[in-house]
Amino acid sequence: MSAAWIEGVAWNADGLVPAVAQDASTGEVLMLAWMNREALALTVESGDATYWSRSRKALWKKGETSGHTLRVVEIRIDCDADAVLLRVESVAGIACHTGRRRCFFNKLEGEGGERRWVATDAVLADPGSFRDG
Amino acid sequence: MSAAWIEGVAWNADGLVPAVAQDASTGEVLMLAWMNREALALTVESGDATYWSRSRKALWKKGETSGHTLRVVEIRIDCDADAVLLRVESVAGIACHTGRRRCFFNKLEGEGGERRWVATDAVLADPGSFRDG
């Protein structure tokens, strides 16, 4: 866990880094979640995106119960090493726990005082059937 | 600043949210930086990506001195409203303060103990000529 490449990440005060997952085929940005050292190491070793749940304070392999895993094609880090980019294959085509293709399904629409977030993407799977996204 | 759509964001304890910028034409993920309420409001009003610099503790219009601005095409938020996605036009084609197209220019390469971050992208502009990326 103390490999130089892991320590090359600029972990924040809580030992975490934000990780963006992007569909390697379509380019669509699917989700943003957080990793600690162990999650990043497990992601690299297993090839499946694994995060740290800040609410549950536990490791969280994406899609562990739903089967909606993200297979990692490439891992990148930014210029100041405080953000990670995963290029992934979204195995089931559903990366959001709401049953949508991606988590970024809300778009800001309208002008001035009428601005609001509007869901633009369809629900493709029953979200009641899984809890981990 | 207290518009419902702004308060709809799940601001963290520091009043910030991570914002991913994606090139709307190529799909390339360019950078991740942070916004506070004022930065997000300014981004929407001006149409130019504006962030909060955590190190300088100041608002930061991307490309203000370099001209490497990011024109916002679309703003999205994720399922739990704690991450923003900007789809942008990278005006000068250089989003990184190092003079590269994107900040995510380091790729994890190698196996086992040989893993390391390798810069894969060319420097397109002299980074000495600007400081704000």
Side-chain angles (χ1 to χ4, degrees):
Chain A
M1 302 296 288
S2 58
W5 68 272
I6 290 186
E7 296 310 321
V9 176
W11 302 100
N12 74 10
D14 296 322
L16 303 177
V17 70
V20 177
Q22 178 182 33
D23 190 300
S25 302
T26 66
E28 198 166 48
V29 175
L30 301 176
M31 58 180 288
L32 183 151
W34 293 77
M35 291 182 168
N36 62 6
R37 287 170 173 80
E38 191 175 359
L40 179 56
L42 285 169
T43 296
V44 168
E45 288 159 20
S46 69
D48 286 318
T50 304
Y51 301 100
W52 174 255
S53 168
R54 296 174 302 168
S55 55
R56 286 184 279 130
K57 299 190 190 311
L59 286 167
W60 160 49
K61 178 183 159 182
K62 178 75 181 69
E64 190 161 29
T65 59
S66 65
H68 302 169
T69 53
L70 300 178
R71 290 294 300 169
V72 176
V73 174
E74 182 180 89
I75 302 182
R76 291 185 166 272
I77 200 164
D78 73 350
C79 49
D80 46 7
D82 63 0
V84 166
L85 174 63
L86 307 176
R87 294 185 61 248
V88 303
E89 178 193 353
S90 181
V91 170
I94 297 172
C96 184
H97 76 289
T98 63
R100 294 178 174 88
R101 214 169 57 234
R102 58 176 171 175
C103 294
F104 290 97
F105 58 80
N106 292 303
K107 181 182 173 185
L108 187 62
E109 294 193 349
E111 295 295 327
E114 302 303 311
R115 287 195 179 93
R116 62 201 174 94
W117 301 105
V118 177
T120 58
D121 298 8
V123 174
L124 304 175
D126 175 9
S129 61
F130 47 89
R131 292 295 301 274
D132 67 340
Chain B
M1 303 295 286
S2 56
W5 68 272
I6 290 186
E7 296 311 320
V9 176
W11 302 99
N12 75 9
D14 295 323
L16 303 177
V17 69
V20 177
Q22 177 182 33
D23 189 301
S25 303
T26 66
E28 198 166 46
V29 175
L30 301 175
M31 58 181 286
L32 183 151
W34 292 77
M35 291 181 169
N36 61 7
R37 287 171 173 80
E38 191 176 359
L40 179 57
L42 284 169
T43 296
V44 168
E45 287 160 21
S46 69
D48 286 318
T50 303
Y51 301 101
W52 174 256
S53 167
R54 295 175 300 167
S55 55
R56 287 183 280 130
K57 301 192 188 310
L59 286 168
W60 159 50
K61 178 183 159 182
K62 178 76 182 67
E64 188 160 31
T65 61
S66 65
H68 301 168
T69 53
L70 300 177
R71 290 293 300 169
V72 175
V73 175
E74 182 180 271
I75 302 182
R76 292 186 165 272
I77 200 164
D78 73 349
C79 50
D80 47 7
D82 64 359
V84 167
L85 174 62
L86 306 177
R87 295 186 59 247
V88 302
E89 176 192 356
S90 181
V91 170
I94 297 172
C96 185
H97 76 290
T98 64
R100 293 177 174 90
R101 217 169 53 235
R102 58 175 173 178
C103 295
F104 290 97
F105 58 81
N106 292 303
K107 180 182 173 184
L108 187 62
E109 295 193 349
E111 296 294 328
E114 302 302 312
R115 287 197 179 93
R116 62 200 173 94
W117 301 104
V118 177
T120 58
D121 299 7
V123 174
L124 303 176
D126 175 10
S129 63
F130 46 88
R131 293 295 302 275
D132 65 340

